[in-house]
Amino acid sequence: MSAVPRVAALHPLTPSQTGMWLQSAAGDGQDRFVEQAAFCLEGGVNREALGRALQCVVDRHGALRSSILARGLRPFRAVLQEMRVSLREVAAGDDEDAALTALMDAERRRGFPLNRPPLIRFALLTVREERAWLVLSFHHIILDGWSLLILWNEAAAFYAAELAGTSAQLPPAADEGAVAEWLHRRSDADSERFWRSRLAGFAEPTPIASAASPAADEPAEIEHVMAAAAGAAITAAAHACRVSPAIVFEVLWALLLAGRTRRTDVAFAATVSGRPSGIPGIERLVGCFINTVPIRARLDDAGTLRECLARHQEQRAEQAEYEYCSAGQIHQWSELRPGEPICRSLLVYENLRGAGAEAAAEPSVSEAGRRVRGARTGYPVTLLISPGPAPHLRVVYQPGSISTPAARDLMEGLERLALRLPDHLDDGIREWRESVAFVPPSELTAAPSARPPFVAPRTRLEHELATIWEGLFKVAPIGVLDDFFSLGGHSLLVLQMAARLRSAIGAELPLHVLVSETTIEKLARACAVEVNEHAALIPLSAEGDGLPIYCPHPLGGHVLCYGALGRRLVGRHRAWGLQAKGLAGGESPAASWEELIAHHWALLTEARASASSTRHPLDGVALLGYSYGGYIAMELAARARREGATRVPVLLLDVPHPSVIPIEHRLPDAATLLHALCGHALGLDLDQMRRLPADGLTRHVYDAAVTQHLIPRDTPFEQVERVLNVARAHSQLQPPVTAYDFPVVLFRAREGAERISSLPDLGWAGYSAGVTIEWVAGSHETMLDPPYAGNLADLVAKHLT
């Protein structure tokens, strides 16, 4: 029986590691964060000594002995006390390149379950006795490019010492705990203030992506080696302006974006080392500190390029303290809506040659070649710069976002700008922008992301999830088929969603559910809570300081027709729907008008039981009724006033007074009822429905409703039958033809306005103390749906102020 590995330490994840943890759990491609490096070793390879050297490196650095454990939704990096290195050996055969590619592909496909160490693997591909490849595969969450070179340099030093029979002379490894302490001291409030200030006024991403090509699953890649003259010009400009070459490249890239998009305010992403200054030995610490942050450049007409370079370097130095923040946090602190990226391009300046250089020793086996496979960035355009006398440029791009000629032209445009250095450092920024060839704006407009057809929430749980999502994304409407991550979901929003699910519906969902069930439809099915879809009191809007609103059901008994309206009232009015008896199994619909009203009265008074005892509990409550629900609202308001309530405003949504309803619209048959309930939404013709056999009519409607997503696929057929039974029972409970001594606000749908009555007030003028008419967009069937629900909510709020 093997011993259980002992945990030596637990460290919190950095913000960027937390993002990788969540995205990995989302199943967004098992190899999304798998990185690899292959080092070509020439000379006789002592496999045992190499294995011992790798073991020394693993023993030296806790990151290499780590896995990720979670307590609920709180992840930690668990460092094992010890971990034995396994060096897998593979023979290359006749085709070295094919064997190396196959080995790396196989290792990438294996992936790394984050909770199962090791998160790094070593393999040795033997080509011949004097030639081999050492292949490292690892999850990016424990190791970045800087650390990879430290690992290689230290492994080489240990290997040389093993061969010589001596000890490697390396300085002590830095303390991992110091980074955790540094992160603990950071203030999210300070970071938020900085990023809000840095990104203030930036509300639209720089449109580098093009819609010229069809979408592709795999990224494409092209390369370009800059002329030596361009490399020399960059070096000279950096020396003359006392800035780093990386700063020169960033400003040139910003100028290229500005010129090609006719903008003076641009942003792109850049990778940063993420290694906090002030921590002893941080430059020698192995781990994952690299981060990607937005770089904003304001290239107005004032100043010269020399001044721009100096200013940009100062801003980058100021920003360094806050570059530990995750992309999700920074996005939340920006003015862009969720789902709208801050940046559409990423610049990677690969300045890692000196990483861990002091730890290097001359190995007995020489590095004759190296291949690196990095993690996928997810940006439409990624520019990688390998500095040197002739800088090497590599663009990795999504063919569905930018065409190959356009991607190549970006690299050549950057080179043309570099060749103008350093003789034009004192030229104005406008001259530099105008030196870049313009691209027509139509070529720089990103293709809109394809969203599935809009399907409104169909159950109580779907409605509550839609409310949560619309609050998170600040986007409305969101349908039950929309994807969380396609809408712009990220690690921070996943955690916020988890918190809101707990508070709103009491759902404690495991992480794998939150990140794998990525639509409202799937998440609702996966919720591990008992939710009574047929509860009598349904929350429609949970926040707001205005008058609370109660919405009695229309003919079918359920209140989801109010869902979109309720979500538009969030923050202004709390709102609830009053559902009918008979929707849940074992219940019978109300048998009389009096029983129907008594049911709703009991719901209202129980819900308002905590109201002040100095007045009627319904005083200061608004009643809003759509269609048949308007009659229930009028009766409830009348009873409240009889019992002493003085302020119970009533709002009617396309409700004709009973006296003006034509006789042919009363006591409808089953076909007419089903058509009234869902015929419009399903596109069903009433005459055709009447020709169907009576015993197959409901099943026909059920099948159409499932196919067209009007109801979830797992909805029991009996539930549709119950809705029909409730509607049939209500149609036989005719509301009284009576007058009321209080005024009403009547919202009239413009489309088909005279279908029931040609009277603008629908007969209420003679039966109430006054009628205020508001005409709204849509028809009787659509007035509560997007896109009309937002305007309707504004009018409702106006009349309740």
Side-chain angles (χ1 to χ4, degrees):
M1 183 175 179
S2 60
V4 177
R6 294 181 58 189
V7 174
L10 287 175
H11 297 298
L13 300 189
T14 66
S16 60
Q17 284 177 316
T18 301
M20 281 187 272
W21 171 67
L22 284 162
Q23 291 181 60
S24 296
D28 190 10
Q30 189 179 5
D31 63 352
R32 168 78 183 272
F33 294 106
V34 174
E35 297 201 353
Q36 295 176 294
F39 299 94
C40 181
L41 310 176
E42 293 192 345
V45 178
N46 186 320
R47 293 161 182 76
E48 291 74 19
L50 180 59
R52 289 193 297 270
L54 295 174
Q55 184 68 61
C56 289
V57 175
V58 169
D59 291 344
R60 180 175 165 86
H61 298 288
L64 304 180
R65 306 191 305 275
S66 296
S67 63
I68 310 302
L69 303 179
R71 296 173 179 172
L73 292 178
R74 294 184 60 201
F76 294 89
R77 182 167 60 84
V79 181
L80 297 183
Q81 188 76 39
E82 62 179 26
M83 187 182 79
R84 303 311 302 168
V85 167
S86 174
L87 180 60
R88 177 189 175 199
E89 295 189 42
V90 180
D94 296 332
D95 191 333
E96 176 180 349
D97 285 342
L100 180 59
T101 299
L103 175 59
M104 296 182 76
D105 287 345
E107 287 293 322
R108 179 179 284 271
R109 284 193 301 270
R110 286 178 64 186
F112 291 95
L114 291 179
N115 62 344
R116 288 167 50 194
L119 299 185
I120 184 169
R121 292 191 295 268
F122 304 95
L124 186 67
L125 179 73
T126 302
V127 180
R128 47 187 180 271
E129 185 62 30
E130 68 279 6
R131 182 179 175 90
W133 286 88
L134 176 63
V135 176
L136 283 67
S137 302
F138 54 92
H139 198 289
H140 187 32
I141 203 167
I142 65 164
L143 202 62
D144 57 23
W146 182 308
S147 299
L148 176 64
L149 292 189
I150 297 174
L151 186 160
W152 168 248
N153 286 333
E154 292 188 357
F158 281 119
Y159 182 75
E162 286 283 339
L163 294 180
T166 60
S167 297
Q169 300 301 309
L170 299 178
D175 178 16
E176 284 192 298
V179 177
E181 293 176 8
W182 183 89
L183 285 170
H184 182 70
R185 294 195 301 268
R186 297 303 95 191
S187 165
D188 281 350
D190 289 344
S191 298
E192 179 177 355
R193 279 192 293 270
F194 172 82
W195 284 112
R196 284 193 183 279
S197 174
R198 177 55 54 93
L199 297 173
F202 192 83
E204 184 180 0
T206 307
I208 188 174
S210 166
S213 303
D217 294 330
E218 292 296 321
E221 182 175 323
I222 55 176
E223 301 182 14
H224 178 73
V225 178
M226 297 178 73
I234 290 171
T235 301
H239 179 75
C241 297
R242 298 183 180 180
V243 300
S244 69
I247 291 294
V248 177
F249 271 109
E250 286 187 5
V251 170
L252 293 184
W253 183 248
L255 283 167
L256 188 66
L257 297 180
R260 304 226 159 173
T261 59
R262 299 188 177 97
R263 299 186 180 195
T264 60
D265 189 1
V266 299
F268 56 91
T271 57
V272 294
S273 73
R275 292 173 181 260
S277 61
I279 296 179
I282 186 64
E283 70 282 354
R284 301 190 307 273
L285 186 59
V286 167
C288 180
F289 306 101
I290 194 171
N291 201 7
T292 301
V293 297
I295 306 297
R296 184 182 187 183
R298 297 178 179 177
L299 302 169
D300 55 24
D301 295 337
T304 65
L305 180 62
R306 186 189 301 272
E307 293 167 337
C308 180
L309 287 166
R311 183 168 61 249
H312 188 71
Q313 179 153 281
E314 290 175 3
Q315 291 173 345
R316 294 289 277 108
E318 179 188 17
Q319 182 173 305
E321 182 180 351
Y322 307 97
E323 290 179 340
Y324 73 95
C325 299
S326 70
Q329 287 175 308
I330 296 172
H331 194 292
Q332 188 176 36
W333 298 330
S334 76
E335 296 180 10
L336 287 92
R337 67 175 181 82
E340 188 73 61
I342 298 177
C343 310
R344 290 201 174 109
S345 66
L346 169 65
L347 188 149
V348 181
Y349 188 78
E350 298 177 317
N351 188 24
L352 298 176
R353 294 189 173 186
E358 67 276 20
E362 186 65 29
S364 297
V365 289
S366 61
E367 180 189 349
R370 184 172 67 208
R371 297 186 186 182
V372 177
R373 288 183 180 179
R376 299 178 182 179
T377 70
Y379 287 86
V381 176
T382 298
L383 173 66
L384 298 104
I385 302 169
S386 295
H392 181 270
L393 306 182
R394 188 157 51 103
V395 168
V396 181
Y397 62 99
Q398 295 292 340
S401 299
I402 186 169
S403 66
T404 300
R408 185 173 300 281
D409 187 60
L410 287 171
M411 293 188 293
E412 293 172 353
L414 192 64
E415 181 177 40
R416 286 193 295 272
L417 284 173
L419 287 170
R420 297 190 75 222
L421 296 168
D423 297 336
H424 297 273
L425 287 172
D426 294 311
D427 287 357
I429 290 298
R430 170 179 285 186
E431 297 173 67
W432 275 92
R433 288 203 322 266
E434 291 176 350
S435 71
V436 182
F438 286 110
V439 173
S442 60
E443 290 294 312
L444 294 169
T445 302
S449 57
R451 288 180 66 177
F454 175 77
V455 176
R458 304 149 302 186
T459 67
R460 171 191 175 185
L461 187 52
E462 287 183 348
H463 160 72
E464 295 196 10
L465 290 173
T467 302
I468 291 171
W469 282 27
E470 289 179 2
L472 288 173
F473 290 109
K474 305 297 188 294
V475 172
I478 292 178
V480 301
L481 303 182
D482 281 319
D483 182 85
F484 183 85
F485 293 101
S486 296
L487 289 169
H490 49 72
S491 58
L492 185 62
L493 286 182
V494 169
L495 298 179
Q496 290 181 7
M497 177 173 67
R500 296 193 187 190
L501 286 174
R502 280 195 301 271
S503 63
I505 60 177
E508 289 281 358
L509 298 179
L511 176 66
H512 73 272
V513 170
L514 292 174
V515 298
S516 62
E517 305 300 342
T518 58
T519 68
I520 289 173
E521 181 180 59
K522 293 178 181 178
L523 193 59
R525 285 200 299 261
C527 276
V529 293
E530 288 295 325
V531 176
N532 184 1
E533 292 287 355
H534 308 297
L537 193 67
I538 303 296
L540 300 172
S541 169
E543 302 173 16
D545 297 327
L547 293 183
I549 303 173
Y550 290 85
C551 307
H553 62 78
L555 195 66
H558 56 77
V559 296
L560 285 170
C561 59
Y562 297 112
L565 175 65
R567 291 193 294 278
R568 302 313 176 275
L569 290 170
V570 170
R572 295 185 282 187
H573 296 269
R574 290 175 297 151
W576 294 265
L578 306 177
Q579 294 210 136
K581 293 174 57 182
L583 292 177
E587 282 186 347
S588 298
S592 66
W593 179 256
E594 291 73 21
E595 182 183 353
L596 179 67
I597 300 303
H599 166 76
H600 288 83
W601 183 259
L603 289 178
L604 267 179
T605 52
E606 182 179 350
R608 300 293 297 169
S610 60
S612 173
S613 59
T614 60
R615 60 180 184 179
H616 194 278
L618 266 60
D619 220 353
V621 168
L623 293 166
L624 182 149
Y626 166 64
S627 194
Y628 190 84
Y631 306 130
I632 302 173
M634 294 297 288
E635 290 291 291
L636 293 174
R639 179 168 177 176
R641 291 176 67 87
R642 288 196 300 270
E643 294 190 6
T646 59
R647 189 187 183 201
V648 188
V650 179
L651 298 87
L652 304 177
L653 307 185
D654 230 33
V655 183
H657 189 268
S659 64
V660 302
I661 299 177
I663 190 66
E664 63 270 17
H665 286 204
R666 302 176 186 180
L667 299 177
D669 57 20
T672 302
L673 275 176
L674 282 170
H675 189 268
L677 292 174
C678 56
H680 178 83
L682 295 175
L684 300 177
D685 180 78
L686 178 57
D687 291 335
Q688 291 179 349
M689 292 177 66
R690 284 174 172 161
R691 290 194 291 270
L692 291 172
D695 58 354
L697 177 61
T698 307
R699 174 63 68 174
H700 174 81
V701 172
Y702 172 84
D703 291 341
V706 169
T707 301
Q708 299 185 41
H709 303 289
L710 186 64
I711 59 177
R713 187 167 295 277
D714 56 355
T715 302
F717 175 68
E718 295 74 17
Q719 188 171 318
V720 175
E721 289 186 310
R722 286 197 294 270
V723 172
L724 177 60
N725 290 336
V726 168
R728 183 183 291 112
H730 290 163
S731 69
Q732 297 173 8
L733 305 180
Q734 296 297 318
V737 178
T738 187
Y740 300 93
D741 62 353
F742 52 87
V744 298
V745 179
L746 177 65
F747 294 87
R748 294 292 320 275
R750 294 186 183 277
E751 298 176 26
E754 297 186 359
R755 182 176 53 185
I756 297 296
S757 172
S758 60
L759 297 172
D761 61 13
L762 292 180
W764 288 101
Y767 292 91
S768 66
V771 182
T772 300
I773 300 174
E774 285 277 11
W775 290 94
V776 298
S779 65
H780 180 81
E781 293 81 10
T782 64
M783 62 188 297
L784 280 163
D785 298 333
Y788 310 130
N791 180 62
L792 181 58
D794 292 341
L795 291 173
V796 167
K798 182 188 78 171
H799 283 281
L800 295 181
T801 301

